[in-house]
Amino acid sequence: MLNRFLILFVLAVPLAFAQNSQTIRLKQANEYANQEKYKEALDEYKAVLSADKGNADAYLGAGDVRYKTKDYKLALDNFQLALKYNPKLTKAMEGEAQAYEALNQKDNAIASWRVLAEKGTAEQKTKALSRIGALLGTNTTPVTPAQQPKAAPATTPAATSGKYTYDSPEFKAGLAAYDKKNWGESLKHWREVLKKEPNNPGAYYYAGVCRFNMNELDNAVINFNKSFDYPDKGFNANYYLGRVYEQKGDNAKAISYYNKYLQLTTSAEGKTDVKNRIAKLGAAPVASSSSAASAAASSSSDSYACNSLESCQKMEEKRKQDSVAAYLETLKNKPLAIGPEKIAATEYGGSFAFASTTEAGSADLQKAFNLIQKKSFQSAIDALQTVRQKFPGTPNSMAAAYNLLSLYQYLELHDKVIALGNSILQEPVPEPYKSAISYMLAASQVKKAEYQNGYNTLSDVKEDQKLGPTHGQKLALEAEIAAQYKPDQGSPEILKKAIEAEPNKAKKNELRLKLADLYTKLQDMPSAMQAYKDIAQDCPPNTTDPCYKAVYELGDRSFLAQNWPMALEYYNKAVQQYNKDELLVSWALFQIGNVFRKQGNYKEAVRSYDRLINEYSGTYWAEQAKLYKEDAIWQESNQGVLKK
């Protein structure tokens, strides 16, 4: 009886010590995170998870750190693992919802917030309901009489503010910095407002003024063009746009915006300033009355003129309809040329297309190309948009659309790629433009985590045409989609085709790693193991991820499956080939000792533990090895007792 008690006591000591050690490490990790020592915190969380792969609190902590460092994809994975091991962990539910929002996955975010609204604390429920309302666009903040904006002139289009708020703490902080002319500080607050309320015209207006004063003119133009619907001062954007184009030397545009401002403002000082500016630019100002004659005079110079967000949207729709009608009319007499007449390489590595070097729009295309070479990207965008507006339905208009998309994609303006790409593809688009545009659209949809849309868009793309994509580029994008989204059971086959077609060994192994991860998600462990084996067999010694990751995964998965010979094979390979990573090698030696201990080979277990203690003294796993070594020695000397 005493012997049995002694056995149980000795076995319990290392287990209790290990559990206490994990608690200490988790506490240390949390302290590091609170001190914003994020790398140290992650190292501690990883150490905890190496010993306890089901520790939900460690996954939660790692998720919080990754969210704070804007690694939203891995943060989401960590929050979901936390919920897997502790489905009642409401902090992980909140983290998951926030990560989905940061990844622009609106539907998933709403679903996660709804779960939190049902299961969270009172405070979490309030926050969840608020975020659901914001994402659905149903939140409204009543405006008191004291907060009402000043009445705009009768000529100002009606502006609604029900969807946006202009008195939030962040908005007020932005105004405070703005009043002090601290433009950079103010701009930070407008970015925060726009994170919470995308498209808030007030934030765009003040951000535009800040950028104007910081001489960031191209970005100021973008902001002002989104600010016309700001009820208080949106019409003033016309004044600043006039100032911008005056500085750029585009007098015609400057005068056009100044005249719009004159029609909308009631400021005597503002009118005097603008009239003087127009006079210096060599033109007579348009009268500021709201008569029909004045409106006609203003619109006659520009058939697509507008002075508010609402009217600009209507005019853009009119322009698009006119463009399609004109385009269809040209097809009756002269079908669009199949492919560009000339393709030029740009500084950023893309291709620039000239559908025709002699027809309408060719001079503007050349201007845009020259601006791109000078890296004046906003001016190049303006020039390309001019071709689209001035010469709708022409071959060069289609080339301008392709060039715009290519430039947007280089600048990572994926929302613009998606909006313009979808718009163009509603028109009759011939090859090779159709496939090139569809490919760029699909690539941006994938960047915005719209995997199903990307999959559907890519399905009609023909590769290896004059404007691309190549067969390899299409396969690579298909592989990226397949790794994230399972449109059907053929997803692994898509990745296999991409692996087969990839000539570069390193890239081939990266695709194999995605295939292994996909099989893991599909719970097909034999296929995942085979994918890891393919990586391990095709990796030269001392190479980095994904090679060493595959070897460690094979060791760990074999250990969990109690396949001791295979676990020993891959842990030994890890020690031999990837000996520069102290944490991973110490883990492998520790596991080798554990394999021998599980097999009852205590002498070999002690030998492995000793090597770990001597070669990696002071590491976490060396300290653990000391405990397990003592247990192995006791087990070896008491085997006869255990058999009784």
Side-chain angles (χ1 to χ4, degrees), residues 56-191:
D57 290 327
Y59 281 121
L60 173 63
D64 283 335
V65 166
R66 283 176 163 139
Y67 182 85
K68 288 173 182 175
T69 55
K70 298 185 179 180
D71 191 351
Y72 300 124
K73 179 64 179 65
L74 284 178
L76 178 62
D77 291 342
N78 287 156
F79 289 134
Q80 290 177 338
L81 284 166
L83 288 170
K84 175 183 176 181
Y85 294 109
N86 184 357
K88 296 181 179 180
L89 196 58
T90 58
K91 288 184 179 178
M93 296 176 194
E94 185 174 350
E96 179 187 52
Q98 291 178 152
Y100 274 133
E101 275 203 55
L103 290 166
N104 293 316
Q105 296 184 32
K106 179 179 174 181
D107 291 342
N108 289 335
I110 291 171
S112 296
W113 285 122
R114 280 180 174 151
V115 172
L116 187 66
E118 293 176 6
K119 300 181 179 181
T121 63
E123 184 178 349
Q124 286 176 323
K125 287 178 181 178
T126 301
K127 180 176 181 179
L129 291 172
S130 174
R131 294 309 309 145
I132 292 168
L135 291 169
L136 293 174
T138 56
N139 279 359
T140 57
T141 302
V143 181
T144 66
Q147 297 166 339
Q148 287 286 354
K150 296 176 182 178
T155 52
T156 304
T160 58
S161 60
K163 190 176 179 182
Y164 304 108
T165 55
Y166 306 114
D167 62 347
S168 66
E170 198 67 54
F171 201 97
K172 290 178 179 177
L175 285 176
Y178 176 90
D179 290 339
K180 294 176 183 177
K181 298 184 179 181
N182 191 340
W183 312 123
E185 182 65 26
S186 181
L187 196 55
K188 291 179 183 178
H189 291 293
W190 304 128
R191 290 194 189 103

Side-chain angles (χ1 to χ4, degrees), residues 12-28:
V13 168
L15 179 61
F17 185 88
Q19 289 174 338
N20 186 52
S21 175
Q22 298 308 314
T23 303
I24 293 170
R25 297 209 76 153
L26 188 59
K27 184 179 179 181
Q28 180 64 66

Side-chain angles (χ1 to χ4, degrees), residues 539-558:
C539 279
N542 300 317
T543 50
T544 55
D545 188 55
C547 297
Y548 78 78
K549 180 174 181 179
V551 170
Y552 277 95
E553 285 287 346
L554 286 164
D556 288 347
R557 291 173 188 272
S558 301

Side-chain angles (χ1 to χ4, degrees), residues 596-611:
F596 284 127
R597 193 164 56 85
K598 293 282 187 181
Q599 292 177 312
N601 189 343
Y602 299 112
K603 288 182 180 178
E604 287 299 324
V606 170
R607 186 175 288 114
S608 183
Y609 292 140
D610 276 338
R611 180 182 172 185

